[in-house]
Amino acid sequence: MIAGGHSLLPMMKLRLANPELVVDINDLEHLAYIREQDSEIRIGALTRHYQLLESEPLARHFPIFADAERVIADPVVRNRGTIGGSLAQADAAEDLSAVCSALKASVVIAGGGGERVVSMEDFHVGPYTTAIDDAELLVEIRIPVRPGAGSAHAKVERRAGDWAIVAVAGGLWLDGETIADAGLALSAVGLTTVHATRAEELLRGKRPSEELFAEAGAIASEDCSPSPDGRGPVDYKRHLAGELTKRALRRAAERARAGTTPGGHTWR
Amino acid sequence: MEVTININGEPVTREIEPALLLVHFIRDTPGLTGTHWGCDTSNCGACVVQMDGLPVKSCTVLAAMAEGHEIRTIEALSIDGVLDPVQQGFHEEHGLQCGFCTPGMIMTARALLDANPDPTEDEIRTAISGAICRCTGYSNIVRAVRWAAEHEAAQPRRS
Ligand SMILES: Cc1cc2nc3c(=O)[nH]c(=O)nc-3n(C[C@H](O)[C@H](O)[C@H](O)COP(=O)(O)OP(=O)(O)OC[C@H]3O[C@@H](n4cnc5c(N)ncnc54)[C@H](O)[C@@H]3O)c2cc1C
Ligand code: FES
Ligand code: FES
């Protein structure tokens, strides 16, 4: 299956993927949409990065998308790459998987036998492996819209347009001055997207504060498992995981309190 | 497989290997070697062409995926020997040295100006952030795009 092709074609060039048959799904234009329905934001799998960046409903409900999209690859790559391909690729360094995990999204997978809805937690079953079967297609991403939401994405990369050294996606749902729910997921610090459940646990029921966010950052940095590579050694990556967790949560709390969000971003 | 792609308004039909990349389909077409093939990893932007008006990296699109779409390359920019304002801007402001990155830079800048006729320096730098130039240090490229924005009205343009 090929959508934007910006993960699959590089993999084919490196001979990491050797498909005998490639099905181009770009003609399924009805799968490119962002709409509000049944207290959810629903995003079609073929929605491209630039469309996520420019979306007004997303900017209003989940500004974390614009945060992430501004630093995913470059504007020309963003004209092709899709959210479906990003999630289906299941690359641990990928940014939208962490965003969707932090927002407690679920995905709709369709096949000959009908559709099923799978939570992000059950969707990624391992490195580059998802719950999508051979004869199935990822068709939609659903994000619940709940009151008091604030969200933010924080990333450090080596140069403009590069993959993350570490990136953190954070979501907070405030009930007055109490954190009713929290979502936290990290990119590039494990074999798959790291869902920081222990830090989420800590945040729930507390009042947002710098100390609390620092504590959540310390836990997240312990609970991830980065590998040393050209992007940096393990201690540096753990440091970033803690620091970026604080930044994402701080930003998310500010946005939740403000209840408003910056407008969409125009030129791709 | 047989594929027909509309390039600069002309249908081009050829028998190809299914895995052929769009950049090679274009460059194998007589007269269309202006599109460059550089990194082959979607990083350098030398291969940028417009697909239905949006700039895309043609080293990361299969030729077969371009069937039924409008491809526009650097060759389509000048009309009857009159350069597009972006091309003229690169000339006026010394926006190139070796010229390798130039076709991709210009196609990317052309799409930027079509969407945003009066971009700031920041917006120009963001737009070309997926394109690498090893010669100019980018300053002259940014100036060239500003030159084009400012002179756009004075010269003929393909709509
Ligand atoms: C230079 C460069 C830099 C990049 N930098 C970043 C970055 O910083 N952060 C980041 O997150 N990403 C980055 N990316 C990845 C980019 O976002 C990709 O576009 C994205 O990961 C894959 O989307 P795609 O539509 O191109 O997928 P494709 O390459 O078309 O597909 C990827 C995989 O998903 C499968 N697939 C696609 N759609 C579906 C579907 N609907 N149902 C089932 N399976 C499907 C395909 O079969 C394939 O296995 C970068 C890519 C490039 C080339
Ligand atoms: S050759 Fe396509 S981006 Fe470098
Ligand atoms: S002019 Fe030589 S690479 Fe840009």
Side-chain angles (χ1 to χ4, degrees):
Chain A
M1 211 109 70
I2 189 160
H6 276 61
S7 289
L8 184 62
L9 291 175
M11 299 254 295
M12 286 168 66
K13 290 178 185 183
L14 295 168
R15 304 295 185 268
L16 292 172
N18 261 315
E20 271 169 42
L21 189 73
V22 174
V23 178
D24 179 5
I25 60 172
N26 284 278
D27 286 343
L28 304 176
E29 283 163 13
H30 61 284
L31 288 184
Y33 58 83
I34 300 168
R35 60 171 171 250
E36 296 185 62
Q37 189 184 332
D38 300 336
S39 306
E40 287 177 330
I41 292 276
R42 299 188 169 184
I43 306 174
L46 224 60
T47 307
R48 300 191 197 271
H49 290 301
Y50 81 90
Q51 293 166 321
L52 297 169
L53 180 55
E54 291 175 356
S55 161
E56 188 279 326
L58 274 187
R60 190 152 35 84
H61 289 289
F62 301 114
I64 187 173
F65 271 98
D67 291 349
E69 285 297 352
R70 274 188 206 108
V71 291
I72 291 178
D74 62 69
V76 180
V77 169
R78 295 200 292 260
N79 283 339
R80 292 295 293 167
T82 66
I83 186 169
S86 297
L87 301 195
Q89 180 67 17
D91 183 326
E94 196 275 322
D95 291 296
L96 292 182
S97 295
V99 167
C100 290
S101 291
L103 296 178
K104 319 273 180 194
S106 50
V107 300
V108 182
I109 300 173
E115 288 189 353
R116 56 200 178 99
V117 180
V118 176
S119 72
M120 276 306 289
E121 229 143 310
D122 297 329
F123 178 65
H124 283 158
V125 298
Y128 305 102
T129 319
T130 69
I132 308 171
D133 275 338
D134 283 347
E136 287 184 319
L137 192 68
L138 171 61
V139 291
E140 189 177 78
I141 293 86
R142 295 181 177 173
I143 309 166
V145 175
R146 294 183 283 160
S151 60
H153 178 266
K155 170 171 171 176
V156 170
E157 66 273 62
R158 293 177 302 183
R159 55 182 152 76
D162 197 14
W163 296 85
I165 301 172
V166 177
V168 177
L172 290 175
W173 289 266
L174 297 186
D175 180 6
E177 262 304 298
T178 305
I179 298 173
D181 198 8
L184 195 63
L186 289 77
S187 302
V189 286
L191 291 176
T192 59
T193 303
V194 172
H195 191 172
T197 46
R198 216 159 56 95
E200 289 180 359
E201 206 54 51
L202 168 86
L203 293 163
R204 266 182 222 117
K206 308 261 171 50
R207 285 171 71 89
S209 71
E210 270 303 301
E211 298 71 42
L212 180 69
F213 295 159
E215 211 182 319
I219 294 177
S221 119
E222 256 173 48
D223 286 1
C224 63
S225 41
S227 323
D229 59 18
R231 289 186 169 78
V234 169
D235 54 351
Y236 172 56
K237 292 185 180 183
R238 282 198 196 279
H239 168 77
L240 279 184
E243 182 57 35
L244 295 179
T245 296
K246 273 194 288 184
R247 286 186 206 167
L249 291 174
R250 196 184 291 145
R251 211 68 215 285
E254 281 166 16
R255 285 170 171 171
R257 287 204 190 93
T260 51
T261 52
H265 198 249
T266 42
W267 209 73
R268 347 189 202 283
Chain B
M1 65 193 294
E2 190 182 273
V3 166
T4 301
I5 303 177
N6 239 312
I7 308 178
N8 303 329
E10 301 280 333
V12 181
T13 303
R14 240 190 352 260
E15 186 65 32
I16 60 162
E17 282 292 318
L20 186 78
L21 297 168
L22 178 59
V23 64
H24 300 305
F25 189 99
I26 294 171
R27 287 179 54 84
D28 290 349
T29 305
L32 296 184
T33 50
T35 302
H36 287 170
W37 179 44
C39 67
D40 202 30
T41 59
S42 355
N43 281 289
C44 76
C47 66
V48 170
V49 300
Q50 292 176 12
M51 185 160 165
D52 302 331
L54 283 187
V56 302
K57 294 181 173 176
S58 63
C59 72
T60 313
V61 176
L62 293 174
M65 294 168 75
E67 193 162 48
H69 297 272
E70 292 291 330
I71 301 298
R72 192 174 177 215
T73 70
I74 187 77
E75 287 85 356
L77 284 197
S78 67
I79 301 169
D80 300 330
V82 179
L83 296 182
D84 182 274
V86 179
Q87 292 173 307
Q88 191 66 38
F90 272 65
H91 177 78
E92 301 292 336
E93 299 289 344
H94 300 284
L96 65 145
Q97 288 174 31
C98 78
F100 193 81
C101 69
T102 312
M105 286 286 180
I106 289 182
M107 293 314 283
T108 305
R110 182 66 265 156
L112 167 67
L113 294 183
D114 289 343
N116 175 2
D118 189 23
T120 62
E121 169 166 351
D122 251 16
E123 287 169 328
I124 296 170
R125 286 187 181 271
T126 301
I128 62 167
S129 63
I132 292 173
C133 176
R134 282 281 124 108
C135 301
T136 64
Y138 304 99
S139 294
N140 286 2
I141 294 179
V142 173
R143 271 199 286 278
V145 180
R146 276 307 309 167
W147 189 98
E150 281 153 26
H151 289 75
E152 200 83 283
Q155 295 192 26
R157 258 186 68 197
R158 182 173 297 192
S159 58

